[in-house]
Amino acid sequence: METPQIEMGGFKVNSPQVPNGGLRPTMAGSWNSRGTVERTLRSIRIVIFTSKLNLLMPFGPASIILHFTSRRHGLVFLFSMLGITPLAERLGYATEQLALYTGPTVGGLLNATFGNATEMIIAIYALKNGMIRVVQQSLLGSILSNMLLVLGCAFFAGGIIHRNKDQVFSKATAVVNSGLLLMAVMGLMFPAVLHFTHSEVRQGASEVALSRFSSCIMLVAYASYLYFQLSGRSNIYSPIGSEEVPNEDATEEEAEIGMWEAVTWLAVLTLWVSVLSEYLVNAIEGASDSLNLPVAFISVILLPIVGNAAEHASAIMFAMKDKLDITLGVAIGSSTQISMFVIPFCVVVGWIMGQKMDLNFQLFETATLFITVLVVAFMLQDGAANYLKGLMLILCYLIVAASFFVHVDPQSSDG
């Protein structure tokens, strides 16, 4: 009778025999537990120790310690912001890993949900505290940062590396995203115009009702856009950059961490971001006083740095590799997600919470967004990019930042 063999690491070895012809239970159990420990340690090494940005992780626990041991709200805010930044980047990494297992359709939905998870968590905590203006301004800041700073830096870096030619991207995809952004501007503009022209049927109530209705319409439009983009109706509208990644690369990426490991990391990172977001939001007003900065500047300019750290790095990297379709998917796609999904979602969540979150972003903020969308749509219309366009977008962002530095919110109270 032949001795049963088992395969370990590509080699066949004789298995220890027991009366029932199987492996000894103690050996099998110890082998399984050893494999689980090894996989866990490997997963921790890949997620925690392969990104240089994770050197900022200790700032998270430090912000909690500072919160309980001192009244330095400025430091608590700064440390919380630094602590969340690497978590936002790793959250994006875990989402990408999970998307490789689920396929393009579910992967697109996962990216829509978790791609801007940091902004959503911060917004929901601020909403729970009744800080409606902070919610509005931080989400507006994320859109402005992605469209001007992230895209501008990517165009500039890519243009410097490839200075002898114009880099090209899909005009059709850029037009669809520009159209969605203009629709979002329309959704934000009418409540603001209604408020400032004093033409409401019921003072204060009509703009909230209009905002809730418009938010539901925007969510339907975004769901339709996702279906249209992922249904394979036409190659020019397929998920941006999907054709750029060959199957061999996808297989290598898939092998980095397992599906359930990715799910576990998503849960752990989301929980930790939620904890730090609470301290970040609670420290905003104190940080405004101690740092002598307007709340509007903190919300629109500083907070988006946290959520956009991952987008900023990856957009520049892809532009330097001459993969501008993926760069646009990161920068403009993220802006589309926030304007058409995250903002309406926050309005609906506020409705459930009993908070009067609306789409009236005030005249100054709405005008800023409208002009920004027009500028970016104009830059993207010819389907080409160079370092001059990138520089112009960066300079536009500096003008926006300076504007919010001298801007005082006309509403003294949130809500």
Side-chain angles (χ1 to χ4, degrees), residues 81-402:
M81 197 166 67
L82 290 173
I84 290 176
T85 302
L87 298 177
E89 190 272 332
R90 291 289 86 183
L91 201 58
Y93 170 79
T95 306
E96 288 170 7
Q97 291 295 303
L98 184 57
L100 291 171
Y101 289 95
T102 57
T105 304
V106 180
L109 294 172
L110 283 171
N111 283 317
T113 306
F114 287 99
N116 293 298
T118 310
E119 288 95 332
M120 286 179 68
I121 292 169
I122 292 173
I124 289 170
Y125 267 105
L127 199 57
K128 191 177 75 172
N129 291 350
M131 301 166 72
I132 291 172
R133 291 296 291 148
V134 170
V135 176
Q136 293 176 332
Q137 290 172 340
S138 63
L139 294 178
L140 172 78
S142 291
I143 299 172
L144 298 176
S145 173
N146 275 305
M147 292 179 69
L148 295 177
L149 184 63
V150 175
L151 192 64
C153 288
F155 278 6
F156 184 76
I160 293 294
I161 297 294
H162 305 279
R163 65 172 64 88
N164 295 324
K165 64 166 187 173
D166 273 359
Q167 295 179 286
V168 295
F169 52 85
S170 168
K171 284 195 287 186
T173 307
V175 166
V176 170
N177 279 281
S178 298
L180 282 168
L181 286 167
L182 283 169
M183 182 181 175
V185 169
M186 189 173 81
L188 299 180
M189 183 174 287
F190 287 132
V193 171
L194 199 66
H195 176 79
F196 285 99
T197 55
H198 305 288
S199 55
E200 301 170 77
V201 174
R202 289 181 297 164
Q203 187 69 31
S206 295
E207 64 186 85
V208 175
L210 175 62
S211 297
R212 289 169 178 172
F213 177 79
S214 299
S215 295
C216 294
I217 297 297
M218 289 161 74
L219 288 172
V220 170
Y222 186 71
S224 303
Y225 161 69
L226 275 183
Y227 176 78
F228 180 76
Q229 189 187 37
L230 301 171
S231 62
R233 179 178 179 274
S234 174
N235 289 333
I236 60 171
Y237 293 111
S238 61
I240 303 172
S242 60
E243 71 281 0
E244 300 285 343
V245 185
N247 292 330
E248 293 81 2
D249 292 346
T251 306
E252 288 176 13
E253 286 185 54
E254 187 179 343
E256 288 190 7
I257 60 174
M259 184 177 74
W260 290 109
E261 290 170 18
V263 171
T264 304
W265 278 113
L266 275 177
V268 170
L269 291 168
T270 303
L271 181 65
W272 188 223
V273 168
S274 300
V275 171
L276 290 184
S277 295
E278 186 171 5
Y279 293 97
L280 180 75
V281 168
N282 290 335
I284 286 177
E285 291 179 354
S288 174
D289 295 332
S290 61
L291 298 175
N292 198 25
L293 292 173
V295 174
F297 182 80
I298 290 175
S299 302
V300 177
I301 306 301
L302 297 185
L303 280 184
I305 293 173
V306 173
N308 292 338
E311 285 99 331
H312 210 142
S314 56
I316 292 173
M317 179 186 70
F318 285 123
M320 291 171 72
K321 291 179 179 179
D322 202 17
K323 296 181 178 180
L324 276 200
D325 279 334
I326 307 181
T327 295
L328 252 70
V330 171
I332 302 299
S334 184
S335 297
T336 305
Q337 285 174 12
I338 294 169
S339 59
M340 293 296 291
F341 174 70
V342 179
I343 291 177
F345 178 76
C346 285
V347 173
V348 174
V349 169
W351 189 2
I352 295 168
M353 286 181 176
Q355 297 282 359
K356 290 186 178 180
M357 168 76 183
D358 58 25
L359 296 178
N360 175 17
F361 277 44
Q362 305 294 332
L363 208 55
F364 184 82
E365 286 88 339
T366 306
T368 304
L369 179 62
F370 180 52
I371 295 167
T372 298
V373 171
L374 287 182
V375 167
V376 173
F378 184 77
M379 294 284 187
L380 299 179
Q381 68 175 352
D382 61 347
N386 50 56
Y387 69 87
L388 179 60
K389 284 187 178 181
L391 181 62
M392 289 169 67
L393 290 173
I394 293 170
L395 294 177
C396 286
Y397 187 74
L398 292 179
I399 293 173
V400 169

